[in-house]
Amino acid sequence: MKNIVPVKWLLARLYEPDIVIVDCRFQLGKPESGRAAYEEAHIPGAVYLDLEKDLSAPIGEHGGRHPLQDLATLAARFGQAGISNESRVVAYDDQGGAMASRLWWLLRYLGHTNVFVLDAGFSAWRDVGCPVSSEQKVIIPARFLASVQHNMLIEMDEVRESLGTGRFVLLDSREAPRYRGEAEPIDKVAGHIPGARNLFWAEGRRADGTWKDANEQGERFAGLGLKQDDELVVYCGSGVTATPNVLALEEAGFTRVKLYAGSWSDWISYAGNAVATGEE
């Protein structure tokens, strides 16, 4: 798995100078809990980046619940966290990889490919007796130069214009009841973008919390009839839990994958956008 690293891999490289470990723990609805968990115990040397304060822009009229941060601001924040263009970055969370995958995607979007997600997250690290610490690392700022990969992102207008044309395959990463419009605990409107297929992001993990391998991920996507030359657009509620599906698609060998970062919460912020319910 080229994007996922096991606990033993990180343990063996814990103090190598080019490794930057980033704690991304965050709970929706409890925005302070992630930092509190980090301050209580984290992987030694890890820095903390907050989903809403560091990895998202402030909420506006459009852009969804976790808008993309201004790219210059984001690059500067990575540098402040000690991430340079030469760093090997390992991200972890305790939310099934969703928050860590957001950081993975953002760094890749800014041209930094040497970034990984820790398999099964912080609990797996601690449960096998690996060291933890409450000490906060003295961060030496680094120079991070962005090289934006525009082909990784798609905007709302292009999604809307593509509806009914077959240009893209749309993948909705939310749980099935939200996709079908039967339940909507977060956003103001229930349903999905017309034509989208549903593939819940958490099904990319096994029962023990580890990520499925490339073959297993490939079986997930084959079950939806996806082909590796398809051009895919992945979305979720706010652009966060779509990123584990983007990562899983890359693991399975898909190369034409775009993220609709604003996702459903951005889509419904435009009054004229169509909404579908039920199965497609």
Side-chain angles (χ1 to χ4, degrees):
M1 293 183 288
K2 54 185 177 289
N3 298 300
I4 310 295
V5 294
V7 164
K8 288 182 179 179
W9 186 96
L10 180 57
L11 183 63
R13 295 162 177 81
L14 190 58
Y15 298 107
E16 293 182 3
D18 66 327
I19 292 282
V20 179
I21 305 167
V22 184
D23 187 318
C24 300
R25 285 177 286 177
F26 186 91
Q27 290 188 51
L28 295 174
K30 299 180 180 179
E32 302 304 321
S33 64
R35 176 166 285 280
Y38 166 79
E39 291 175 352
E40 180 181 336
H42 52 261
I43 296 176
V47 298
Y48 183 75
L49 289 178
D50 184 278
L51 171 66
E52 294 184 344
K53 296 177 182 176
D54 300 309
L55 305 180
S56 305
I59 295 175
E61 181 182 1
H62 302 298
R65 287 182 280 105
H66 294 107
L68 280 188
Q69 183 63 275
D70 171 79
L71 299 185
T73 301
L74 187 61
R77 186 67 193 91
F78 288 154
Q80 291 164 3
I83 299 171
S84 74
N85 296 86
E86 291 71 42
S87 300
R88 284 182 293 168
V89 181
V90 180
Y92 71 87
D93 59 33
D94 243 351
Q95 284 72 45
M99 310 304 161
S101 294
R102 167 79 164 201
L103 177 62
W104 171 87
W105 188 89
L106 288 170
L107 280 166
R108 302 265 306 206
Y109 180 54
L110 295 193
H112 189 90
T113 58
N114 215 353
V115 54
F116 310 93
V117 172
L118 181 66
D119 202 8
F122 180 73
S123 291
W125 172 274
R126 183 177 54 194
D127 290 349
V128 296
C130 292
V132 299
S133 174
S134 60
E135 294 183 11
Q136 295 191 34
K137 178 182 179 180
V138 176
I139 301 173
I140 300 173
R143 189 167 183 240
F144 184 91
L145 297 176
S147 177
V148 180
Q149 306 299 301
H150 295 286
N151 63 317
M152 291 177 58
L153 182 70
I154 191 168
E155 301 291 349
M156 187 281 299
D157 288 347
E158 195 172 358
V159 175
R160 182 167 58 192
E161 289 165 6
S162 74
L163 294 186
T165 68
R167 178 183 171 191
F168 303 117
V169 177
L170 282 168
L171 286 182
D172 187 312
S173 302
R174 298 171 299 163
E175 291 183 84
R178 291 184 68 196
Y179 164 80
R180 292 191 297 261
E182 298 165 358
E184 184 44 72
I186 303 173
D187 293 309
K188 295 178 180 178
V189 179
H192 61 265
I193 299 175
R197 307 179 196 180
N198 183 221
L199 193 67
F200 184 36
W201 71 272
E203 293 171 358
R205 294 176 292 124
R206 304 186 185 98
D208 64 358
T210 59
W211 288 69
K212 294 178 178 177
D213 64 24
N215 289 333
E216 292 170 301
Q217 300 289 9
E219 290 172 4
R220 289 177 68 214
F221 302 125
L224 275 185
L226 301 182
K227 301 180 292 294
Q228 291 199 345
D229 60 351
D230 286 336
E231 191 162 7
L232 306 174
V233 171
V234 187
Y235 75 94
C236 58
S238 67
V240 177
T241 58
T243 57
N245 264 346
V246 174
L247 190 156
L249 284 160
E250 181 164 316
E251 288 288 318
F254 290 81
T255 58
R256 305 177 70 197
V257 182
K258 298 178 184 290
L259 175 70
Y260 174 21
S263 287
W264 181 246
S265 53
D266 176 61
W267 181 260
I268 61 173
S269 71
Y270 295 88
N273 281 350
V275 170
T277 56
E279 298 285 358
E280 287 282 346

